[in-house]
């Protein structure tokens, strides 16, 4: 059985490493964070994900899973590091490929003839070819002596283990034989989904298109929420009625769009094709501006100086991940405007990005006003408690 090395042991890399191990492979997880590697080698996961610790226990029990801070020789290298966006000095928002390029340079000396390097990190077009260039430079191999492919991850927090097995996977490469080889490697993992092969540019665009579609749909829903607020009607009821049409599927509005995918991926397309993607750009602007609009809206009900409970700081319900969280941005806006923020995030222990983390009961008791920013299950169970104070519901939880 081939040896797989996973580069990056975070929200994507760790579940991927565990799943490949349970599929029968020998797996090494590589990460530069010594504290994380030590914890993982002791069998303790460092992220919140349902059933992941149990799966980790089973994987470690096989004796085929280990973690290291130095890259090791392997047959297949899977790059699963973050690809955030950044703002240029000119004010443009572009993808930040620093982590991917660093990962490629780091593993290059360990890559040998016949090895496969798979880029799973969500990336702009031509990123896989850039990885190939860096591997060739660092390994001394010619591009035709090793293989590269792109296989974008398509999983969401809270359902990672299931979706790694059940979701279809897209694998693309400039060389069809590399795509087919990668398909063979992933086949024992994707037990219920279908693996589809294509070229590298199409594979890179596929993940971006999926999340950009969702971003544009949510931007429409967020605009509808503003219109409905002026009309004095329930936007969630309106959307439910509209979605009764067999060809309509309007998404749900919220306090914005967060996470490491939907809030980031559209920029990867726009940066390459600024002149022909105004819809993508405007959808991003709409969604990025929603936290500010919500702050303006509650200013109609309660003045600065008031104690406002912000119910939910992660980027989506029932997870601990705060990356690109619009709820967190909203809390920061309130604080800058002079409100006293009582943050409540039940899926994180301790402070959250500088905010003291209160229990729901404590925050509701002390606050003058509450804003429901996420439909966390613990909030659903305590709707009656939340309703004891004036509130603004961004997500339809209190209906």
């Amino acid at each position: 059985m081939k040896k797989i090395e996973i580069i990056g042991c975070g929200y994507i890399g760790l579940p991927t490493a565990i799943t490949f191990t349970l599929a029968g492979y020998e797996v090494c997880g590589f990460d530069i964070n010594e504290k994380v590697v030590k914890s993982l080698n002791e069998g303790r996961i460092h992220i919140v994900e349902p059933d992941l610790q149990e799966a980790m226990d089973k994987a470690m029990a096989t004796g085929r899973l280990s973690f290291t801070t130095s890259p090791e020789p392997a047959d297949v290298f899977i790059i699963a590091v973050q690809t955030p966006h950044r703002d240029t000095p000119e004010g443009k928002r572009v993808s930040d490929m620093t982590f991917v390029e660093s990962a490629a340079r780091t593993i290059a000396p360990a890559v040998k003839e016949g090895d496969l390097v798979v880029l799973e990190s969500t990336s702009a077009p031509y990123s896989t070819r850039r990885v190939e260039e860096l591997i060739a430079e660092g390994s001394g191999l010619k591009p035709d002596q090793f293989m590269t492919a792109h296989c974008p991850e398509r999983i969401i927090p809270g359902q990672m283990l299931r979706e790694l097995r059940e979701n279809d996977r897209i694998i693309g490469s400039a060389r069809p034989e590399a795509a087919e080889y990668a398909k063979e490697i992933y086949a024992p993992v994707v037990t219920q989904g279908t693996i589809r092969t294509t070229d590298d540019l199409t594979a890179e665009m596929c993940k971006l298109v999926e999340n950009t579609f969702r971003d544009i749909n949510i931007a429409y829903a967020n605009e509808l929420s503003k219109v409905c607020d002026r009309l004095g009607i329930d936007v969630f009821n309106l959307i439910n009625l509209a979605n009764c049409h067999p060809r309509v599927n309007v998404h749900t509005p919220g306090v914005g769009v967060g996470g490491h995918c939907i809030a980031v991926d559209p920029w990867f397309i726009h940066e390459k094709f600024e002149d022909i993607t105004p819809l993508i750009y405007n959808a991003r602007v709409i969604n990025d501006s929603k936290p500010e609009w919500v702050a303006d809206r509650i200013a109609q009900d309660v003045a600065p100086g008031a104690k406002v409970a912000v119910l939910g700081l992660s980027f989506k319900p029932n997870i601990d991940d705060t990356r690109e969280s619009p709820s967190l941005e909203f809390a920061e806006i309130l604080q800058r405007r002079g409100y006293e923020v009582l943050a409540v995030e039940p899926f994180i222990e301790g402070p959250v990005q500088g905010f003291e983390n209160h229990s729901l009961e404590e925050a509701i008791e002390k606050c003058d006003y509450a804003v429901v920013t996420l439909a966390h299950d613990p909030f659903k169970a305590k709707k009656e408690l939340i309703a004891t104070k004036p509130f603004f519901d961004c997500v339809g939880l209190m209906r």
Side-chain angles (χ1 to χ4, degrees), residues 277-325:
T277 55
L279 178 63
I280 293 173
Y281 174 79
N282 286 321
R284 279 280 72 235
V285 171
I286 290 167
N287 288 331
D288 280 349
S289 67
K290 190 66 185 295
E292 196 86 36
W293 180 87
V294 176
D296 291 341
R297 173 60 184 79
I298 72 163
Q300 299 174 24
D301 298 338
V302 62
K307 297 179 180 179
V308 177
V310 177
L311 308 186
L313 291 183
S314 59
F315 81 78
K316 63 172 291 186
N318 300 326
I319 65 169
D320 69 331
D321 193 344
T322 60
R323 287 177 292 178
E324 305 293 332
S325 170

Side-chain angles (χ1 to χ4, degrees), residues 332-353:
E332 292 169 346
I333 291 170
L334 289 185
Q335 190 175 63
R336 289 197 299 270
R337 293 187 179 187
Y339 294 91
E340 181 178 342
V341 175
L342 302 175
V344 181
E345 181 43 69
F347 289 88
I348 297 176
E349 293 184 6
V352 182
Q353 301 291 317

Side-chain angles (χ1 to χ4, degrees), residues 245-300:
H245 191 291
R247 291 180 293 280
V248 173
N249 181 28
V250 181
H251 285 13
T252 304
V255 72
V257 174
H260 61 293
C261 290
I262 301 179
V264 177
D265 295 358
W267 294 115
F268 290 20
I269 300 177
H270 181 68
E271 72 173 85
K272 299 290 185 182
F273 310 99
E274 290 184 37
D275 59 324
I276 52 176
T277 55
L279 178 63
I280 293 173
Y281 174 79
N282 286 321
R284 279 280 72 235
V285 171
I286 290 167
N287 288 331
D288 280 349
S289 67
K290 190 66 185 295
E292 196 86 36
W293 180 87
V294 176
D296 291 341
R297 173 60 184 79
I298 72 163
Q300 299 174 24

Side-chain angles (χ1 to χ4, degrees), residues 65-314:
L65 177 61
S66 62
F67 299 89
T68 181
T69 55
S70 301
E72 298 180 357
D75 302 296
V76 179
F77 298 83
I78 297 177
I79 298 175
V81 297
Q82 61 177 310
T83 48
H85 59 65
R86 60 181 176 83
D87 294 324
T88 67
E90 297 77 27
K92 295 181 180 179
R93 186 155 287 185
V94 298
S95 56
D96 184 353
M97 300 303 293
T98 303
F99 298 97
V100 168
E101 293 187 354
S102 177
R105 290 189 179 95
T106 300
I107 65 171
V111 177
K112 60 188 182 297
E113 186 172 355
D115 285 354
L116 170 67
V117 179
V118 179
L119 176 61
E120 277 207 7
S121 304
T122 304
S123 305
Y126 299 104
S127 296
T128 307
R129 299 184 189 186
R130 175 58 176 159
V131 167
E132 181 179 83
E133 292 175 0
L134 294 173
I135 296 295
E137 291 173 6
S139 66
L141 298 171
K142 297 179 180 179
D144 62 357
Q145 292 180 299
F146 64 96
M147 291 172 281
T148 56
H150 184 59
C151 182
E153 56 85 10
R154 304 169 100 188
I155 57 179
I156 60 173
Q159 302 181 47
M160 289 182 173
L161 293 175
R162 179 182 65 79
E163 293 199 344
L164 280 168
R165 299 188 303 270
E166 298 180 7
N167 285 4
D168 288 2
R169 297 300 294 260
I170 308 298
I171 296 178
S173 178
R175 295 164 57 190
E177 65 271 23
E180 288 299 321
Y181 178 52
K183 180 178 179 179
E184 293 177 11
I185 295 297
Y186 278 81
V189 172
V190 186
T191 54
Q192 298 182 49
T194 301
I195 301 175
R196 307 172 190 273
T197 59
T198 183
D199 62 90
D200 56 325
L201 296 179
T202 301
E204 288 166 339
M205 279 296 293
C206 188
K207 173 68 180 294
L208 304 181
V209 166
E210 293 163 6
N211 285 328
T212 300
F213 165 77
R214 296 172 67 193
D215 192 49
I216 292 171
N217 196 318
I218 295 170
Y220 175 54
N222 279 332
E223 279 204 342
L224 283 181
S225 70
K226 299 175 184 180
V227 172
C228 290
D229 186 71
R230 286 195 185 178
L231 288 171
I233 65 176
D234 185 341
V235 65
F236 301 98
N237 181 52
L238 171 64
I239 290 174
N240 286 339
L241 292 173
N243 285 347
C244 291
H245 191 291
R247 291 180 293 280
V248 173
N249 181 28
V250 181
H251 285 13
T252 304
V255 72
V257 174
H260 61 293
C261 290
I262 301 179
V264 177
D265 295 358
W267 294 115
F268 290 20
I269 300 177
H270 181 68
E271 72 173 85
K272 299 290 185 182
F273 310 99
E274 290 184 37
D275 59 324
I276 52 176
T277 55
L279 178 63
I280 293 173
Y281 174 79
N282 286 321
R284 279 280 72 235
V285 171
I286 290 167
N287 288 331
D288 280 349
S289 67
K290 190 66 185 295
E292 196 86 36
W293 180 87
V294 176
D296 291 341
R297 173 60 184 79
I298 72 163
Q300 299 174 24
D301 298 338
V302 62
K307 297 179 180 179
V308 177
V310 177
L311 308 186
L313 291 183
S314 59

Side-chain angles (χ1 to χ4, degrees), residues 41-69:
N41 276 324
E42 293 172 353
R44 293 179 286 105
I45 66 172
H46 60 295
I47 60 177
V48 175
E49 176 65 24
D51 304 319
L52 189 63
Q53 184 61 62
E54 292 80 357
M56 175 71 162
D57 294 341
K58 293 178 182 178
M60 294 297 285
T62 67
R64 297 193 306 271
L65 177 61
S66 62
F67 299 89
T68 181
T69 55

